[in-house]
Every structure is written in structure tokens, then in C-alpha cells.
Amino acid sequence: MSQPPSPPSRRDVLVTGLGAALLPRLAHAAQPAPTPKATMLTRPIPKSGEALPVIGLGTWQTFDVGASPAERAPLKDVLQRFLDSGARLIDSSPMYGRAERVVGDVLAQLPDAPRPFLATKVWTTGKQAGLEQLETSVRDMGRGRMDLLQVHNLVDWRTHLPVLREWKAKGRVRYVGITHYQKSAFPELERLLKEETLDFIQLPYSLTDREAEKRLLPAAAANGVAVLVMQPFATGNLFSRVKGRALPEWAQEFDCDSWAQFFLKFILGHPAVNCPLPATSNPRHVADNVRAGFGRMPDAKTRERMARVLDT
């Protein structure tokens, strides 16, 4: 297994646990993404200075669906709301079953939507197998283009990183990076941040999993590497931890009106982070998630207060 098991349903947590105290917030979260008058916050990609909107979209499990209209319709709504909000980065992998092709197919049905920032990965061993996988990914997901290519879970990275750099030099991809979901790989990730020329790193980080703060996030900042965050909801466990609890009133101080935004804004409160990647196939959830990219962010003192919420 290269990824954790399926996350618990956020819908179950919201519907059965939060009760009347959160009904106004749920109604608010169910609304469409913020109006064009608002602008999603951005952070620069260190190596280029390009402004990247601070909320991304993961596709693990959520986009691995068939071709029927019933299966694809919610995903079309998800991508439309996501892009209309000002968000841009969509992350996938050949490991995610049909997700890459589904992203490409659904985006093709949205010709007037804003241009996304497309990111995927190489996840195989051997140069030829890697090249074939990359070509398939670019064809299926990117329709001939790709913004970011990453070595998934450091699989055969010594073979693939030179290929990705060659593609970047030729203009076939704009950025290259590495990923891993296991904390046991953090020392190797840190070493590569310092020794290799990288544009991006993707790692796990959340309110209850702060290991990356110790060395990886500082190393990324020191070496000018953009940070993408997988598992921002701790594979759904964060919603289980707050089941039945109302959002703290003081969350309004940083323009937060849902638990999803609370968890995402905690991550974005760290200055080294560029973009968390919550995965969803639920249009209401993506409308809620993207709102975390607007308004004020918590400072360091507030983030520690946020972390203590789960201790009570």
C-alpha cells in the first residue's frame, strides 16, 4: 500500500454530529464558491515567483470513477466550483486508478473554465517504464501539457529526477518535485531538499500531524522549495475528533466558519506552506474548502490555540 485507507465520510460527521449549533454554518458552506469580488490568496512559488492560489484539489479515491454521467456529474460540479473560486492546482497520480483520465475528461467539458495548474507524478521503476507512464499521464490528464511532475513516494527517484529535469529544460513541464506520505521517509526528503534542485515537495501535514514542522518545512523554506500538503484532514480523522462540537467563536477572528476551513487555515498559517490538497468528490465540500483561501490567516500564537482545541 502506498497510501492510507479511505477517509471517514465528512458528511457523516457533519450531518449526524454537529447538530443545530452548526446549521447556519452548514447552510453557508453549501453555497457556491465566493463571488468574483473576492480574490483567493496566493503565495509565490519560490523558484519562479509565480503566484499560486493557496487551496488545491487532491484526487486520491475521489476521482477514480467510471464513465457514467451519474458518476461524472458531481466531479464536473466540483471542478467548476473549484476553478471559479480562483483555485487552480489539481493533483493526481497514475497510482490513483482512473483519476488522471477522469480529470482530463471532465476538464474537457469545461472549455470556458479558468486554466488549471495540473500536477501529477511518476510511480514506477525503470527509465522506459517511467517515460511511458509520463507520456500517458500528460496525454490523459493534461491533454498534452503539465505544470508539475513529481516522483511519487520517491520510487526510483535517481532514475526519474534526471528525466523530469530534462523535460523541464525542453519545456515539456514547468516544475519538478518529490513526494512521500510516510514519516519514515522524512530524513531522505530533507536530504534531497538540501542536495537536489527541486521546485516542489509534497508531504503530510495537519493539525494533529505536525512532524513536518520540525525539519522539513524549515528545510523547504531555506532551499526555496514550494510545499504542497497531502492529508490535510489527517485522512478524515480530524472530523471524527470534532464530531458533535461547535466551531469556536474566536474562529471568526481569522474569517473561518467551518471545521474544514479551521483545519486548512491552520496549515496555511505556516509561512512555508504553499497549498494544501484536500480531496473531495462532493461539490458542497469543495465550496467549503476553497473558502479557507480567503480572508485572514491565523498567526503563530493563534495556531497554537487552534491545536489545543482538540485537547479539550
Side-chain angles (χ1 to χ4, degrees), residues 105-257:
D105 289 347
V106 175
L107 286 174
Q109 298 174 24
L110 303 173
D112 297 325
R115 184 183 187 276
F117 184 109
L118 296 177
T120 193
K121 309 173 186 80
V122 57
W123 181 66
T124 188
T125 57
K127 183 174 181 178
Q128 186 58 37
L131 286 168
E132 292 172 2
Q133 193 174 79
L134 288 168
E135 294 286 1
T136 298
S137 295
V138 172
R139 181 194 68 217
D140 289 352
M141 182 178 173
R143 297 300 195 265
R145 72 169 185 87
M146 194 62 61
D147 295 289
L148 167 62
L149 289 172
Q150 305 152 94
V151 181
H152 195 153
N153 293 342
L154 297 181
V155 175
D156 201 8
W157 67 266
R158 291 177 179 82
T159 298
H160 300 314
L161 265 184
V163 173
L164 299 189
R165 291 196 182 104
E166 182 179 346
W167 277 37
K168 181 180 177 181
K170 292 180 178 179
R172 295 204 63 189
V173 65
R174 300 197 299 133
Y175 300 103
V176 302
I178 55 175
T179 85
H180 213 295
Y181 78 101
Q182 290 184 324
K183 287 189 279 294
S184 61
F186 280 14
E188 182 76 345
L189 289 175
E190 182 183 0
R191 185 180 69 80
L192 294 179
L193 281 171
K194 296 175 179 179
E195 296 180 2
E196 299 288 336
T197 302
L198 300 167
D199 301 311
F200 280 82
I201 185 171
Q202 186 175 154
L203 49 81
Y205 180 47
S206 70
L207 189 144
T208 55
D209 182 2
R210 302 178 64 179
E211 183 69 22
E213 289 180 359
K214 296 177 181 177
R215 300 183 65 89
L216 275 185
L217 294 183
N223 290 278
V225 178
V227 175
L228 304 181
V229 172
M230 65 177 84
Q231 303 174 23
F233 300 139
T235 64
N237 291 329
L238 289 178
F239 293 108
S240 298
R241 295 279 296 273
V242 297
K243 184 177 180 179
R245 297 175 59 178
L247 192 70
E249 289 295 329
W250 47 265
Q252 298 175 11
E253 297 172 8
F254 49 93
D255 303 311
C256 174
D257 58 14

